[in-house]
């Protein structure tokens, strides 16, 4: 995502949305939280990836100064799991 955002910045110049998206370490992580008032006004995007669309909705609906990224650990080890349709305790279900 970062190369795309940096290319857009070079093409269109300074744009607040591009700068905002580029400020996140992992734009496509898919993990976020928000206050309930903001969650109520955000639309669920149907035409973009969920992560980028959600960040764009947050940008549209609140002040950038109310948004932050928090690192919960020094090293995050994502546990990729295989699909496990027969046993819900072994992996992901379809």
């Amino acid at each position: 995502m970062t190369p795309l955002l940096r290319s857009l910045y070079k093409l269109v110049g300074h744009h607040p949305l591009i700068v905002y998206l580029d400020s996140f370490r992992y734009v496509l992580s898919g993990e976020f939280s928000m206050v309930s008032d903001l969650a109520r006004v955000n639309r669920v995007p149907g035409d973009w990836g969920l992560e980028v669309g959600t960040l764009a909705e947050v940008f549209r609906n609140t002040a950038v100064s109310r948004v932050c990224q928090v690192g919960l650990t020094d090293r995050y080890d994502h546990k990729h799991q295989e699909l496990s349709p027969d046993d819900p305790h072994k992996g992901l279900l379809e």
Side-chain angles (χ1 to χ4, degrees):
M1 185 73 185
T2 299
L4 173 63
L5 292 170
R6 303 280 166 84
S7 296
L8 285 172
Y9 189 84
K10 288 180 181 179
L11 288 171
V12 300
H14 179 83
H15 188 281
L17 179 58
I18 296 171
V19 173
Y20 166 77
L21 291 173
D22 194 36
S23 71
F24 291 93
R25 186 172 176 195
Y26 299 110
V27 177
L28 303 176
S29 71
E31 299 170 349
F32 63 91
S33 67
M34 66 180 74
V35 295
S36 57
D37 290 342
L38 182 57
R40 285 186 189 98
V41 297
N42 275 5
R43 297 177 295 189
V44 176
D47 57 346
W48 278 84
L50 182 61
E51 296 90 347
V52 174
T54 299
L55 285 173
E57 279 293 296
V58 169
F59 181 81
R60 185 175 70 87
N61 289 313
T62 195
V64 174
S65 62
R66 297 193 63 201
V67 178
C68 72
Q69 179 174 352
V70 177
L72 298 178
T73 65
D74 291 335
R75 182 171 176 255
Y76 180 72
D77 184 22
H78 185 75
K79 305 288 186 217
H80 294 281
Q81 299 178 11
E82 298 296 322
L83 289 177
S84 178
D86 299 328
D87 187 350
H89 301 291
K90 288 187 178 178
L92 302 173
L93 298 175
E94 291 183 273

